[in-house]
Amino acid sequence: MNLYIRKADLISGSIMVVSNQNKETVFIASRDKNDPFQIQLFNRLNQKIAEIKLKNSFLRIFSIEKEGKEIATINAIPMLDVKYVHLGIINWNIVGNLPLSEYHVKKNREVIMEVTPTILSLGNQGLQLKIKNIEDLEVGTLIAIFLDKYIKMPGLQPDDKLTELQSKSKLSFLNFKINKKC
């Protein structure tokens, strides 16, 4: 199944619409304003079906929960070499160019999901998610949204604005802070 997310929603929005090829809404994702890495996924009936949240703040471990049960974990992503991420518990390996959002997800050497940048209707930039198994839709969608936010802005503080980040700011990927030099 192919799903699409607008890049404008991923960059600055707290609400993201995930649609299919027919432009029908499949999921609605919500990002917490105080913690941009906490993402909740809702179905069309506005029922929460999955979420990512911080499990351990010291070690920067994130937990993926589906219907209230933890099904996967993501450890802190090394920002120097962002070509590989491992998801614990479900044993998924994410390989590819994560900063450019061009990667695939493998489980037991089989590709189960591919993420590529695309141009949507009306010329909007977006992400295309090709998910092979319908059971992996929720987790795959959460992973794509989370990695896009985490890799693009690893040190974004809740009170920072996107416009401040685009000015001559310098990102420090190792300590997750932004040093502003205007």
Side-chain angles (χ1 to χ4, degrees), residues 18-103:
V18 181
S19 59
N20 61 12
Q21 290 174 327
N22 300 329
K23 300 178 186 172
E24 298 171 339
T25 300
V26 178
F27 299 120
I28 298 170
S30 169
R31 184 180 293 131
D32 188 355
K33 290 182 181 181
N34 295 327
D35 184 7
F37 301 117
Q38 181 176 352
I39 304 164
Q40 296 179 337
L41 195 64
F42 297 90
N43 62 13
R44 287 185 254 190
L45 302 173
N46 204 23
Q47 299 169 333
K48 184 169 80 169
I49 52 176
E51 73 176 322
I52 290 183
K53 60 184 177 181
L54 189 63
K55 180 178 180 180
N56 185 325
S57 61
F58 179 71
L59 298 174
R60 305 270 311 166
I61 297 175
F62 297 90
S63 170
I64 301 173
E65 295 180 0
K66 183 176 175 182
E67 298 172 359
K69 295 181 184 176
E70 182 180 57
I71 59 168
T73 58
I74 305 172
N75 291 337
I77 299 170
M79 298 310 296
L80 297 176
D81 186 22
V82 284
K83 297 178 182 174
Y84 174 81
V85 174
H86 178 75
L87 299 180
I89 301 175
I90 58 174
N91 200 23
W92 286 8
N93 297 307
I94 303 170
V95 181
N97 193 337
L98 296 171
L100 294 180
S101 297
E102 192 165 349
Y103 53 88

Side-chain angles (χ1 to χ4, degrees), residues 128-180:
Q128 178 181 12
L129 287 65
K130 295 179 184 176
I131 302 174
K132 303 225 175 173
N133 191 352
I134 200 160
E135 294 174 359
D136 300 328
L137 283 176
E138 297 91 355
V139 177
T141 303
L142 280 173
I143 292 300
I145 294 169
F146 176 81
L147 287 178
D148 190 81
K149 184 68 173 182
Y150 194 93
I151 298 298
K152 300 299 187 278
M153 292 181 250
L156 183 64
Q157 299 298 322
D159 57 341
D160 286 338
K161 292 188 173 82
L162 187 62
T163 55
E164 291 177 357
L165 188 65
Q166 290 174 343
S167 65
K168 299 176 184 175
S169 298
K170 195 173 195 180
L171 290 176
S172 173
F173 292 110
L174 299 175
N175 62 9
F176 299 100
K177 292 187 181 185
I178 297 177
N179 299 322
K180 295 178 186 169

